[in-house]
Every structure is written in structure tokens, then in C-alpha cells.
Amino acid sequence: MRSDAVKKGIERAPHRSLFKAMGYTDEEISRPLIGIANAKSEIIPGHIHLDKIAEAVKAGIRMAGGTPVEFGVIGVCDGIAMGHIGMKYSLATRELIADSCEAMGMAHSFDGMVFIPNCDKIVPGMLMAAARMNIPSIFISGGPMLSVSRGGKSLDLLSMFEAVGAYKVGKMTDREMAEWEDHACPGCGSCAGMFTANSMNCLTEVLGLGLPGNGTIPAVYAERIRLAKKAGMQIMELVRKDIKPSDILTHKSFENALAVDMALGCSTNSVLHLTAIAHEVGIKIDLDIINEISEKVPNLCRLSPAGKHYIQDLYAAGGVQAVMKELSRKGLLHLDLMTVTGKTVGENIENAEVKNFEVIRSIDNPYSPTGGIAVLKGNLAPDGAVVKRSAVAEEMLVHRGPAKVFDSEESAIEAIYRGQIVKGDVVIIRYEGPRGGPGMREMLSPTSAICGMGLDKDVALITDGRFSGATRGASIGHVSPEAMEGGPIALVKDGDIISIDIPNGKLNVEISDEEMERRRAAWKAPAPKITKGYLGRYSRLVTSASTGAVFR
């Protein structure tokens, strides 16, 4: 056993005495030691209940003959961090989470690891750690929050962000705002739509590191606790068979993840995270592959923010496995890949079926013949930009309009709230990339304000930062190279005509090459916004969004 390094032989008597100081018995010490990376906290709704998940995991481990060893993991709530300096820390914590899980797992020689994440950067951070450590690992998330209906409208966190814009233009009253505020987020779980957290929990299932149901069983259902017990038992099977992440995370498994990503219409952040996870196992995901997969994989689901359905509806309709079964009907998945069930992808989905073809469209009747995410390139984004195509209004798939340029999210929000953005405009928010932000903030506040004001079918937003998975509309993020690196987005001026062609993957500013070079010669990089502390180090180490914003 790997844990023999900390417990076997006379030389390890001091180590065993430390275990006994914590109450571990000789019988417990003799069994496989299973690390439990638990991101439970009292600042994230998706994590407030993870102590219950951890207790269920421990029960499963003990039933199967192992000894659970729990430790804590940090996490930022993207919703609470949104729209202020806190969001600069969100993506940056992904690296902290990966590093800290690696440090704990390797320093204590665990025989296996159970990862308990639920929200945004915590899921990919833990996936990166699992890939990096390459010891038997399994994931069990906390599950999605429910959406509830008030006044005939189903609510979620996005409803509240968009309500701010509606209130600013007089479309909502104080009483309505208070009513929604009290009920939009009814309890524990990751926010109810196909936002980043739920996207990554679903894709963990597809990658093969989470049991079927990991992405969709609601947080408050007893089935979630039962799944956690099964995950605890299954890690012991993985340890016995020495099935490691490297046996599961192959190039083909990432192709599967991208295919399901397209079918589900996941968050654009999934591109950033899948690229980074693949990097940990030495696999390169070129952005061009994404468009290749998108061209052949149809969009089968329109979950919030793209449509009226929520994760609870996807669960009731058959879940991720049912989506995979539909894709398999046209040979769009690799079915022979190993998963943490000990079975192949094909064996896992053998009995899966779609139970509601309104929520999960038949592959013969998709929402669109192409996938939910598109990569755009052009003279404004030579290395690529990403858009959630399935959440863009038909009228905005092709758009041409004048640029309104802002060098920070705050200045853009101020202009939006003052009514300075009008129909046809293309809002450019720059110096918000991984280095320039630093931290590549999500822009849910400005996009929600635009939508709340009823301009989502008339105004586009483009940034070298990110957009939340809750964002809808023509919101194009991850523009690379970023402004801080002298990318073309740094050279755009107010009034420049921006041309967007999502069906053909094009993003251009209509100026000549000669004018672009004149502006480039005159451009000087601004002083870094933050030079001290973790964000200062992060800005010096982080790479482009097109490569996953990983550390050099």
C-alpha cells in the first residue's frame, strides 16, 4: 500500500503515535488510508452541506474496509464574489486548490482519494489535482440547487442578477425585488442552471471520474447521500484494482467531455477548465478541436440560461447518461473507455434512456445541428475567443456594430446603468484577462444588466475576461491574446466597427492591417493593477486563456 510509507515498520512508530494521538486504532491504521478532500464551508451555498456528503463517503469507505481521513479545501463563491475585487480571486483559487490537494495527498501517502467539490473553480481544481497525483481517485459533488416558482416564473441566481437591470429601468418594484430575493436560491446546492458548477459536475461524470448521477441528482435528495456512500465503497475497489486517473483521462475521454459539453450547452468556462485538466496529464486540447466537435455534435438541451429547464429537469429526464445514450446512437462517443465504476462508458449507459424528450431532445430532432459552444477567431482574437452559442439570440448570431470600449468591468457597468449603451453597440471590456485582471473576472453583472434592460437581442459584449455560465446573449469571452499582452483587443478604439459571425467562427475589427500596426507601435502596457500578494504572483505566472490559464 502507498500508505505503508507513513505507517509500516519500526521506523514508522513515531508516525503511528501521531495517528493514535488523533484516536486512530491499530486496526484503522492497518487498512488503506483514503484521503477525503472536502470543500465544505459556510460561504458557498453549494458547499454548506458537504459535511453530510463527507459523512456518507466515510460510511462507504468503512463498509468496504478502508479508513477515511478528511481534510478541508478552500473555495470562493462566484456569486458572492461577483462584481467587485473578490472575482479577481475566483479563477486564481483553482491553482491553490489543485496545489493544496496535491500537497495533502502526496505528503500523507494516501492510498486513494475521494474529492468532494461542488462549485465553479473547486471542481476543476480538484480534477487537476487528481490528474497530477495519479492515485486512485473518485469524485462526488454536492449536487445542484432546486429552482422554485414564484408568481408563475421559475427562479434561480441568474433571475436575481437580471432583476437588477430590470429594476434600474423601472421594470420591477421594490416589493417584487424583495420577493425574488427571498426565494431565488431556496437552499443548498450549486446554482440551478447549466452554469459553470453544474457544467463541470456533469463533465466529471462524462470524463469517467464521477459515478452516474454525479452531475444531476439534486443536493437535497436522499439519493445524493446514497451516491456518496457508493462513492466511498467504490474508491476501495479502485484502490484494490489500482485504477488511476491516467487509466481514465485519455484524449478520447476529453473528446467525450467536449461532445457532451456541446449537447448540454455547458458554460464557456468548461473550455478553460478542460484545457487545464488535460494539461495535467500531458494532453493538449487545441481550440480548433472544439469547433470540429461542435460541427458534428448537435445541441440537445436548452437549460438555463439558454432555456426554461433546470438541472432538476435534466435529472428527471434521465440525466447525463441519457444524453450520452442519445449521442451514442450516432456514434458520437467513444464507448470503450474505463470509468470509476470499473466498467466502460458503453456499459454504464447500456440501460440509460431519455424520459422526457422536451428536456433532452432526440438526436434526430435537436435544438440545432451544431453544439452549444463555439470558438471564434479573427484579427480581434488571433488565438481564439469563446461564446455559448446556444444562449445567443438568433438575431445576434451575426452582428456588426460600433465599439464602446472600457478598460475595466466597473467602468462598463457604470455606463450600462447610466443608459450609455444603445441598440447595436458592441461593448468591449478589456484588461480583465488572466494577467491583466488579474484573475480573469466573470462578467455576469454587465451581461445581466444588459439582459435585464431588454437589450440582449441588440447588444454584444466582448472581453478578455470570462463570462459566467449563467450569462446569456452575445457574450464573447476569453479573447486571446489578452490586452495586457498587447493583443488586438488592446488596440480597439471607440467607434471601430466590430464584426461578429458566430456560425462561421469569425470575430474581427474592421480596420486595415496597416492601421492595426500603427496602433500596435504606439501601444504601451499599463502598469499592473496588483503587484503584491497571491494575485501579484498569479499575474506573473499565469498563461493565456487559450491554453487554459495554467501556470507557466
Side-chain angles (χ1 to χ4, degrees):
M1 289 189 288
R2 291 176 178 84
S3 60
D4 286 348
V6 299
K7 67 186 187 185
K8 190 173 183 179
I10 192 63
E11 297 85 2
R12 296 297 180 257
H15 304 63
R16 292 193 296 274
S17 72
L18 291 169
F19 276 100
K20 290 179 178 180
M22 295 179 281
Y24 291 94
T25 64
D26 285 325
E27 290 79 6
E28 287 174 302
I29 296 170
S30 68
R31 296 170 181 169
L33 301 182
I34 309 300
I36 301 177
N38 184 6
K40 195 271 180 187
S41 74
E42 296 181 350
I43 193 62
I44 310 176
H47 291 215
I48 192 73
H49 65 304
L50 294 188
D51 53 340
K52 305 296 190 299
I53 300 294
E55 287 305 315
V57 167
K58 290 177 187 178
I61 291 170
R62 292 184 180 116
M63 283 190 284
T67 297
V69 184
E70 181 183 356
F71 62 90
V73 179
I74 68 162
V76 165
C77 177
D78 277 26
I80 294 174
M82 194 72 66
H84 57 93
I85 191 172
M87 183 46 69
K88 293 180 183 288
Y89 283 89
S90 174
L91 179 62
T93 61
R94 188 187 70 181
E95 316 309 310
L96 287 174
I97 290 162
D99 291 350
S100 61
C101 288
E102 173 201 354
M104 291 296 287
M106 302 309 291
H108 301 107
S109 297
F110 293 133
D111 295 296
M113 291 277 290
V114 180
F115 293 89
I116 309 178
N118 208 26
C119 292
D120 295 289
K121 303 324 143 311
I122 299 92
V123 184
M126 288 187 175
L127 284 165
M128 290 166 68
R132 190 184 299 170
M133 287 190 290
N134 199 35
I135 62 175
S137 300
I138 195 168
F139 281 68
I140 171 66
S141 78
M145 187 184 294
L146 295 176
S147 169
V148 298
S149 179
R150 302 298 292 185
K153 179 175 174 58
S154 295
L155 303 178
D156 61 6
L157 179 66
L158 174 59
S159 307
M160 287 312 306
F161 275 98
E162 293 189 357
V164 175
Y167 181 85
K168 294 277 187 181
V169 294
K171 292 183 178 181
M172 287 189 72
T173 65
D174 288 323
R175 182 178 178 180
E176 289 171 325
M177 284 291 287
E179 172 86 358
W180 283 28
E181 182 181 321
D182 286 345
H183 298 96
C185 298
C188 66
S190 48
C191 296
M194 188 53 80
F195 311 151
T196 304
N198 291 324
S199 294
M200 293 310 302
N201 284 325
C202 288
L203 296 181
T204 297
E205 194 175 322
V206 181
L207 285 169
L209 286 176
L211 295 174
N214 178 73
T216 59
I217 298 171
V220 295
Y221 285 16
E223 188 180 354
R224 174 65 56 179
I225 297 298
R226 298 199 298 271
L227 189 72
K229 290 178 180 177
K230 290 178 181 178
M233 290 186 280
Q234 189 60 26
I235 187 61
M236 296 306 299
E237 189 69 12
L238 297 174
V239 168
R240 278 190 282 271
K241 294 181 177 178
D242 198 30
I243 296 175
K244 302 182 293 294
S246 61
D247 301 314
I248 295 171
L249 296 178
T250 65
H251 200 285
K252 287 182 177 180
S253 65
F254 284 99
E255 289 178 3
N256 278 358
L258 287 168
V260 176
D261 193 334
M262 299 302 165
L264 287 173
C266 290
S267 163
T268 53
N269 287 316
S270 61
V271 173
L272 194 70
H273 299 319
L274 288 173
T275 305
I277 297 159
H279 174 78
E280 294 292 345
V281 286
I283 294 171
K284 179 177 173 55
I285 295 180
D286 191 293
L287 292 186
D288 291 335
I289 294 175
I290 294 167
N291 276 351
E292 290 172 15
I293 292 175
S294 183
E295 284 302 312
K296 63 183 181 182
V297 177
N299 180 221
L300 304 182
C301 300
R302 287 285 166 93
L303 304 161
S304 176
K308 63 181 181 180
H309 299 126
Y310 295 88
I311 303 300
Q312 67 206 49
D313 302 313
L314 177 61
Y315 160 76
V320 173
Q321 302 295 305
V323 174
M324 295 174 73
K325 186 65 174 281
E326 279 300 298
L327 295 180
S328 72
R329 290 178 52 212
K330 292 289 180 73
L332 295 172
L333 291 179
H334 304 287
L335 301 180
D336 58 343
L337 308 181
M338 176 58 67
T339 72
V340 290
T341 64
K343 300 177 181 178
T344 65
V345 170
E347 290 171 327
N348 287 345
I349 66 173
E350 185 175 357
N351 296 318
E353 60 177 334
V354 177
K355 299 174 182 178
N356 186 335
F357 282 103
E358 289 185 16
V359 178
I360 303 172
R361 288 279 188 95
S362 163
I363 198 160
D364 297 317
N365 180 36
Y367 280 103
S368 71
T370 54
I373 290 178
V375 171
L376 313 182
K377 289 189 175 182
N379 70 351
L380 187 55
D383 293 340
V386 183
V387 64
K388 189 168 184 172
R389 171 164 47 188
S390 59
V392 179
E394 189 73 25
E395 302 94 309
M396 292 297 291
L397 289 172
V398 177
H399 181 73
R400 183 174 176 273
K404 293 278 183 70
V405 183
F406 303 94
D407 288 346
S408 71
E409 179 188 14
E410 289 84 356
S411 59
I413 291 173
E414 184 179 355
I416 293 167
Y417 286 156
R418 286 183 175 179
Q420 295 173 359
I421 306 302
V422 298
K423 289 184 177 183
D425 283 347
V426 178
V427 178
I428 305 283
I429 307 175
R430 63 191 182 191
Y431 296 106
E432 290 287 4
R435 284 185 59 198
M440 202 181 181
R441 288 192 287 183
E442 289 184 344
M443 305 292 164
L444 183 56
S445 293
T447 58
S448 298
I450 290 289
C451 290
M453 292 174 175
L455 293 172
D456 56 300
K457 296 181 180 180
D458 302 288
V459 172
L461 293 95
I462 299 173
T463 182
D464 54 4
R466 298 179 295 130
F467 287 115
S468 165
T471 292
R472 61 188 175 97
S475 302
I476 300 166
H478 306 197
V479 171
S480 299
E482 64 174 289
M484 197 65 178
E485 293 182 344
I489 192 172
L491 311 178
V492 178
K493 295 182 178 180
D494 280 336
D496 285 347
I497 299 300
I498 307 297
S499 174
I500 301 166
D501 185 347
I502 294 173
N504 290 302
K506 302 295 183 184
L507 181 62
N508 289 290
V509 52
E510 295 183 4
I511 60 174
S512 67
D513 293 343
E514 293 77 15
E515 175 61 18
M516 185 78 83
E517 287 308 312
R518 278 194 292 271
R519 294 183 187 184
R520 192 184 308 280
W523 177 82
K524 292 183 179 179
K529 295 175 184 174
I530 297 176
T531 58
K532 296 180 179 180
Y534 178 58
L535 286 181
R537 295 197 303 275
Y538 182 86
S539 66
R540 293 189 291 273
L541 295 171
V542 72
T543 62
S544 166
S546 62
T547 55
V550 296
F551 279 176
R552 291 181 178 85

